[in-house]
Amino acid sequence: MSRNITEAAPVLQLDRRELLKVGAGAMVAAGLGAGGAGAQESAQGEGIHPAGSMRVPGEIAPFTGPGYRYPGKRLGFNGPMDDTTAKIVKFVHDFKPSDVTPSAKRHFDKTMIDSLSAIISGFELEEPRLAAQMAKMCPAGELKCTVLGYGVSTTPELATFANGSLIRETDYNDTEYGGSHNSILIPAALSIGEAFHRSGAEVMAAIVIAYELFGVPSGGEAVVSCMAAAKLMDLDEDRLANALSIALTPHVALNKGVGAMSMWKNLRSAEATKCGVWAALLARQGMTGPPQPYEGRGGLWSTQRGNISGMGREFTLPIRQDTLGIEGNWFKRRPAEASSQGILYIMKDIRAWVKPEEVASIHFDTSYGVWEEICDAPKWDPRNRQTADHSLPYIIARALIDGDIYIDSYEEAKFMDPLARDLMNKTTIGPVNGWIGLGMGRMTITKKSGETKVFDTYDGNRQLQDSTYPQMTDDEMRNKLTRVCAYQKVSTVQRDEAFKVWGDLASVKDFADAMKLMANFGQPKAL
C-alpha cells in the first residue's frame, strides 16, 4: 500500500528561542524553510527520506535542506545574538557615566575605599606573592598595567590576576545578601582603565555596570569583569557580544571546594576576572565567539541542571528604577567569612558576660547554607590560613580569646593554639529548618557554673544587614583603611593621598595616575 507523496509529515512547532538553538535554515522539513515538509518528500516510495534513510510513516522526521539565508551583518559573518546577550550588551553599550546617580556615586566611593583596604590587607601573603612573581615573568608590552604594591609592570590579564588575588586574599572585601564578593571584578577595570588611560568617571561607570550585571543571570565573574573591561575599550555591540561569549563559554567555574580549603579559594575569582579581561582583548582585535551562548543549543540555559526549557529567568537592566546594584553591597568590619560578621559584631557583649576559661559549651544555630560551607568536619581542625578563615568554630574561639579577628588571626600559631582548640572542642553548630539568608545565628553559651545565655544576630527577618549589623559609616571606612595601612607599614602621607584620590575617582582625569599612586607601598620582600 503506497502513500501520496505530497502528504506532509507532522510539523514541529518551534518558537523563536527554539529556532535559535537549531538554526533557521535547518528546519525546512518542519515547515519553517522554503517549500515546507511536503516539498522535500521523495518520490522513491513510502517512508523513504530524501537522503535515503528509512523512517516510520507519519512520524516527526525533520531534515535539513536549502532555504537558509544569512540574516545578519555581524563581524566575521557570525550568527545572530540570542535574547540574553542582546539585552546585556545593549545595556553595557548605552550606559554612560552620567547615568550613575548621586546615591550610586556615594556608594561607589565607599566601595573603592573598602576595596583599597582589602587590597592592602592581602599584601605579602603567599598567594599574592605567587601571582606577582608570575606577572614579573611577563613584562608589559604595548598595554602597560601595574601590580599594586609590588610596582611590577605587566600585561592586562596578569595584572588583573595579581590584583585580584590581593583584593580577595583576606576575605576583607565587600559582599551582598547572596554571598557574592562583587568587588572581585574591580581589578579588571583597574587594569584596562590604566592601560587605555581612561578617566576615573569612565572607570566608575564600568564598575557600576558590572555590579548591576551581578544581579542578573549573566553567567558569573568572567562575564561581568569582561563587560567592565570591554566597556572601557569602547567596543561596539557586536564586539561586546563576542567578548561576552568568549568569556562565558569556556569559563563556567566549579565550586571553590568544600572541607579543607586550598589556595584556589582566594584565586578562583582572580582567574575568572583575568579570563574576562582576556576575552575583551580578543574581541577588540576581532575574535568572534559562539553567537548564542545562553539560549543556543548547548548554551548556558540548556546545560543547567533541571532546566528543561533551555531558558533563563527574565530580567531587565537596570534591575530597579530607583537604585543601582552597587548600592546593595555591604562592607565587612573584620577580615572573616561573611556569615561570621554578625556574631563578631556583638562579640564585645558576649565577652562581657563570659571569659574563655569559663565556657562549658557553645552551640550555634544557623542556616543550612552557612552550616554546610563553614561548619563541616575539616573546619574543626584547620591546618592552613584558607581553612581557618572559613571555619566558624575557629573564628568564634579566636574572637572569644582575643576580643577581635584581624589579619594575623589566621597565623599557624593562632589556629593551632591549644586554648582555641579547647574552645572549638566545646562547640557544636547546626542548621535550623527554614532559616535562609546570610549571617543569621543564635549562640547559646553555657558556663561551667551552669549559667546559660543566648545571643542573637538577627531580627525577625533573619537578615544580617539590619539592626544587628548596620552599614559602616564614613568614619568606619576611613578607620578601616587607617588600620590596615598601619598594619602593612604604608606611610601616613601615602595613605591620606590614597584616601583623597580613591575616595573620589570620578574626578581623576587619567586613571593611570591613580594606579601610579599605589604602585608601590609597604615593605615587600624581593620577589
Side-chain angles (χ1 to χ4, degrees):
M1 180 177 179
S2 63
R3 179 167 61 88
N4 190 317
I5 62 171
T6 61
E7 178 187 339
V11 175
L12 286 175
Q13 301 297 324
L14 302 180
D15 65 19
R16 181 176 179 275
R17 292 193 178 196
E18 290 169 321
L19 181 60
L20 280 170
K21 297 177 188 178
V22 181
M27 292 306 299
V28 292
L32 298 173
Q40 295 290 330
E41 288 284 2
S42 168
Q44 297 181 21
E46 177 181 302
I48 303 297
H49 189 279
S53 60
M54 299 297 294
R55 66 180 174 88
V56 176
E59 74 173 345
I60 297 176
F63 55 89
T64 57
Y68 176 82
R69 295 294 180 269
Y70 177 69
K73 296 180 180 179
R74 294 196 64 195
L75 183 68
F77 295 98
N78 204 354
M81 302 176 201
D82 56 23
D83 292 344
T84 302
T85 300
K87 188 181 296 186
I88 290 172
V89 302
K90 178 171 177 51
F91 170 74
V92 174
H93 181 267
D94 292 350
F95 195 89
K96 307 178 296 299
S98 59
D99 293 326
V100 180
T101 64
S103 175
K105 162 67 164 55
R106 287 192 297 273
H107 215 84
F108 168 79
D109 291 342
K110 291 181 71 172
T111 298
M112 296 311 296
I113 291 298
D114 186 75
S115 299
L116 183 60
S117 297
I119 286 169
I120 296 171
S121 75
F123 193 55
E124 281 293 83
L125 292 173
E126 190 171 11
E127 293 96 313
R129 281 188 59 82
L130 289 173
Q133 288 167 358
M134 292 294 297
K136 188 178 179 182
M137 294 179 189
C138 302
E142 181 180 338
L143 299 175
K144 295 177 172 59
C145 300
T146 303
V147 177
L148 296 172
Y150 295 101
V152 172
S153 183
T154 187
T155 62
E157 67 278 8
L158 288 180
T160 299
F161 182 74
N163 292 329
S165 71
L166 283 167
I167 203 170
R168 187 68 185 89
E169 174 64 20
T170 60
D171 220 323
Y172 214 1
N173 56 328
D174 70 356
T175 189
E176 48 85 33
Y177 284 130
S180 297
H181 297 270
N182 295 354
S183 57
I184 55 175
L185 66 92
I186 288 175
L190 302 185
S191 296
I192 301 303
E194 178 185 16
F196 286 80
H197 295 276
R198 296 305 187 195
S199 69
E202 290 171 315
V203 171
M204 174 182 68
I207 290 172
V208 170
I209 285 169
Y211 267 80
E212 198 69 25
L213 294 181
F214 262 119
V216 302
S218 59
E221 299 160 356
V223 169
V224 297
S225 57
C226 174
M227 291 294 94
K231 178 66 174 180
L232 288 167
M233 295 179 196
D234 200 26
L235 301 190
D236 59 26
E237 290 187 42
D238 192 351
R239 281 177 166 79
L240 281 169
N242 285 321
L244 184 155
S245 184
I246 296 168
L248 174 61
T249 51
H251 300 129
V252 179
L254 299 178
N255 190 280
K256 64 187 174 187
V258 295
M261 296 292 182
S262 70
M263 291 182 182
W264 203 247
K265 172 174 72 75
N266 298 327
L267 293 177
R268 64 178 185 135
S269 296
E271 168 69 10
T273 308
K274 179 200 78 174
C275 292
V277 168
W278 179 242
L281 288 167
L282 286 172
R284 176 176 177 262
Q285 294 304 112
M287 185 72 71
T288 62
Q292 295 132 29
Y294 294 106
E295 295 149 312
R297 182 173 52 185
L300 182 63
W301 305 148
S302 64
T303 57
Q304 285 187 332
R305 182 182 302 176
N307 189 349
I308 305 300
S309 69
M311 297 165 58
R313 65 176 173 84
E314 292 296 330
F315 63 90
T316 59
L317 285 167
I319 300 172
R320 292 175 293 275
Q321 296 301 312
D322 55 338
T323 59
L324 287 167
I326 197 169
E327 298 174 72
N329 65 331
W330 55 270
F331 309 105
K332 292 181 176 180
R333 291 173 170 85
R334 293 164 180 84
E337 202 277 337
S339 298
S340 69
Q341 298 295 311
I343 199 66
L344 293 176
Y345 185 67
I346 62 171
M347 187 55 66
K348 182 178 179 180
D349 296 334
I350 297 172
R351 294 182 80 245
W353 183 77
V354 65
K355 294 179 175 60
E357 60 271 19
E358 297 176 321
V359 173
S361 67
I362 299 171
H363 181 74
F364 194 86
D365 291 315
T366 187
S367 69
Y368 182 86
V370 171
W371 174 73
E372 183 182 41
E373 180 173 2
I374 62 174
C375 310
D376 56 342
K379 304 309 190 302
W380 264 260
D381 186 21
R383 296 298 179 114
N384 57 33
R385 180 185 187 90
Q386 297 82 10
T387 306
D389 75 12
H390 265 52
S391 166
L392 186 56
Y394 171 69
I395 291 170
I396 290 172
R398 190 77 259 161
L400 277 171
I401 296 167
D402 295 341
D404 199 7
I405 290 291
Y406 205 56
I407 301 165
D408 58 353
S409 296
Y410 307 107
E411 295 174 352
E412 183 176 358
K414 291 196 173 182
F415 61 69
M416 295 301 294
D417 176 12
L419 181 55
R421 295 279 167 154
D422 179 62
L423 284 171
M424 293 166 68
N425 288 336
K426 296 175 180 177
T427 301
T428 57
I429 304 175
V432 177
N433 186 35
W435 281 18
I436 58 174
L438 181 67
M440 78 295 298
R442 173 178 291 152
M443 176 182 280
T444 304
I445 302 179
T446 301
K447 290 183 178 181
K448 292 176 180 176
S449 65
E451 294 178 89
T452 296
K453 190 166 184 177
V454 175
F455 297 87
D456 282 340
T457 64
Y458 65 87
D459 66 3
N461 294 319
R462 299 194 177 104
Q463 292 290 341
L464 179 59
Q465 186 189 346
D466 49 36
S467 58
T468 66
Y469 192 85
Q471 275 281 22
M472 290 177 67
T473 65
D474 290 344
D475 285 344
E476 285 182 301
M477 300 297 293
R478 187 179 192 110
N479 291 341
K480 179 175 178 176
L481 181 62
T482 296
R483 185 182 181 187
V484 78
C485 284
Y487 183 88
Q488 296 288 19
K489 298 180 173 58
V490 177
S491 73
T492 56
V493 173
Q494 187 179 23
R495 178 203 69 199
D496 291 345
E497 185 65 17
F499 190 88
K500 176 183 175 182
V501 173
W502 283 66
D504 186 20
L505 284 173
S507 299
V508 175
K509 290 183 169 51
D510 184 346
F511 192 73
D513 293 337
M515 294 296 287
K516 183 178 179 181
L517 174 63
M518 300 306 296
N520 296 94
F521 57 75
Q523 299 175 8
K525 298 176 184 177
L527 292 173

